[in-house]
Amino acid sequence: MDRNIIHINVADFAVAVERRLDRRLAGRPVIIAPEGAARAVVYDMSEEAYQAGVRKGMPLARAGRLCRDLVIRPPQPARYEQAMADLLRHALPYSPRIEPGDRDGHLFVDVTGTSRLFGPAVDVARRLHSQAWKELGLDPIWSLAANKLIAKVASRLVKPQGDCIVPPGGEAAFLAPLPVWLVPGIEGPDLIRLRELNLTRVHQVVGLGAARLAVALGRPAAEIDAALRGIDTSPVLAVDQAAPRVALNHTFGTDVHALPVMESRLHTLVATAGRRLRQQGRVARRLAVAADYSDGRRCVRQVRLEPPTANDLALFPAARRALHLAVSRRTRVRHLRLICDRLVFPPAQLPLFAEEGQTVLRQKRLIAAMDKIRDRFGGQAVRMGSAWTG
């Protein structure tokens, strides 16, 4: 049976929610950022601000220089959470398999096999859009395809407004003329390498075949080749199903209070977590460290990963920061737990500057080489120097 996956995507979700409450913001360049904070960065922005060069994660001061007539609104997580709950409430009658994003306006709805109850899948998609517009004041993009990957690409293609239907069996033909960066699952370093080879369109990369692509990109070539052919078998999770995550534990033989020793063990956990994320073809948007003290108390601290990543060299600084926040007492620590969650497809975003891009590419190659050694000789065959401390 062909699958029918609907992707609902409210573009620039935080801005859309703010505009719903304040109609004066319509058509104006708007960014969401904690104004007044010394190191404030852009949380979200409108299409007008994007066209002016503003990007997520950009320092607020720089965004202000790029777009002089910016309207700034502070982040309101509770509003975004309520808006996501409203979107989910409207979709629930149509399917038990609904996978919402993390307060980002994204919703995958699997309506496979429901046509006798609700009519054709395309009618359900139109109904969801109509309800979002009339009852919530939101104007989402919607797409319909046979898997999540194609549905997401279709949404990206018509952003910031519109709809797109990709018939079952037409995935490869749909992707063929598109630029490679539109396809989720391909990280920035791989995009840089493909651009160096003058391979910018999907049909050019697919024409190489997985074997020759492996020569250029190394280990992730098979996953990239499958993504570019529109192959994605990942299910839409049930509403009450726990979101996938990577969680790892380490119990010290003797309780410790020395941070370098804890960092050393944390480094080993990060290497394993990063490898598992890469094997799944996902990146994490959040990382948490839990420290269990000798007296039974537990302290958990988490940090947001921006951009989302599965690279050990980006994961470890975030994990180290979370560890230092979690270990704030003089009591010894018995157990560490590392959690990487809010897993998503790798973002298809190139670094702004060429030098930064080369650094990211070198890091990617280093991690790929280490993965190759671990595949051949075992997980402990190679480690970062800092993992040996203590």
Side-chain angles (χ1 to χ4, degrees), residues 298-310:
R298 165 175 285 193
C299 184
V300 183
R301 291 293 181 267
Q302 60 190 32
V303 295
R304 181 183 175 87
L305 297 169
E306 189 58 49
T309 184

Side-chain angles (χ1 to χ4, degrees), residues 20 31 42 92 183 262 268 270 280 305 308 328 364 372:
R20 184 182 64 170
I31 65 171
V42 175
L92 272 174
V183 181
M262 288 184 242
T268 303
V270 165
Q280 296 174 24
L305 297 169
S328 57
K364 172 86 175 179
K372 198 170 181 180

Side-chain angles (χ1 to χ4, degrees), residues 28-327:
R28 301 183 63 185
V30 181
I31 65 171
I32 308 297
E35 194 175 12
R39 296 182 178 178
V41 296
V42 175
Y43 173 78
D44 199 2
M45 71 271 156
S46 67
E47 181 66 18
E48 295 81 3
Y50 181 85
Q51 294 299 333
V54 178
R55 298 290 185 270
K56 289 182 182 179
M58 177 181 287
L60 184 56
R62 187 172 174 215
R65 289 195 295 273
L66 287 171
C67 190
R68 295 291 181 185
D69 55 345
L70 271 179
V71 178
I72 304 172
R73 289 287 186 270
Q76 302 284 355
R79 288 182 185 172
Y80 314 145
E81 199 164 324
Q82 182 59 51
M84 278 301 299
D86 292 339
L87 279 173
L88 181 60
R89 178 166 50 82
H90 282 86
L92 272 174
Y94 297 104
S95 173
R97 290 198 166 272
I98 303 175
E99 194 175 316
D102 178 28
R103 294 178 299 191
D104 57 3
H106 288 260
L107 208 69
F108 287 103
V109 185
D110 188 345
V111 293
T112 305
T114 64
S115 58
R116 286 193 176 184
L117 286 171
F118 306 116
V122 65
D123 289 355
V124 175
R126 287 183 177 134
R127 222 172 294 155
L128 287 171
H129 173 269
S130 176
Q131 289 174 337
W133 175 243
K134 291 178 181 175
E135 299 177 28
L136 305 178
L138 299 171
D139 185 14
I141 301 162
W142 65 266
S143 60
L144 175 64
N147 62 52
K148 291 196 291 185
L149 183 142
I150 294 296
K152 192 169 180 62
V153 174
S155 295
R156 286 180 174 178
L157 197 60
V158 297
K159 190 178 179 182
Q161 286 181 315
D163 54 72
C164 186
I165 302 169
V166 182
E171 293 81 11
F174 168 72
L175 291 179
L178 300 181
V180 175
W181 60 264
L182 264 180
V183 181
I186 306 175
E187 295 186 70
D190 297 320
L191 290 172
I192 293 172
R193 180 61 180 147
L194 291 172
R195 191 170 59 184
E196 288 174 349
L197 298 171
N198 203 27
L199 299 170
T200 57
R201 297 282 167 178
V202 170
H203 68 88
Q204 294 173 323
V205 183
V206 170
L208 287 178
R212 280 189 284 182
L213 192 59
V215 176
L217 300 181
R219 195 172 177 278
E223 291 82 358
I224 291 176
D225 185 66
L228 294 177
R229 294 175 188 275
I231 299 170
D232 176 24
T233 57
S234 62
V236 176
L237 300 178
V239 175
D240 56 354
Q241 188 173 348
R245 65 178 186 173
V246 174
L248 297 163
N249 298 282
H250 178 82
T251 302
F252 295 99
T254 304
D255 298 354
V256 299
H257 60 68
L259 273 171
V261 177
M262 288 184 242
E263 288 179 6
S264 170
R265 300 299 174 265
L266 187 64
H267 213 306
T268 303
L269 296 180
V270 165
T272 305
R275 194 171 175 218
R276 289 188 185 177
L277 288 170
R278 293 189 292 278
Q279 288 171 340
Q280 296 174 24
R282 296 291 186 272
V283 292
R285 296 179 67 181
R286 188 174 66 179
L287 180 150
V289 171
D292 290 337
Y293 290 98
S294 300
D295 59 6
R297 293 188 180 182
R298 165 175 285 193
C299 184
V300 183
R301 291 293 181 267
Q302 60 190 32
V303 295
R304 181 183 175 87
L305 297 169
E306 189 58 49
T309 184
N311 189 311
D312 303 0
L313 298 173
L315 288 172
F316 183 69
R320 187 171 182 268
R321 190 161 69 252
L323 174 70
H324 283 232
L325 291 170
V327 182

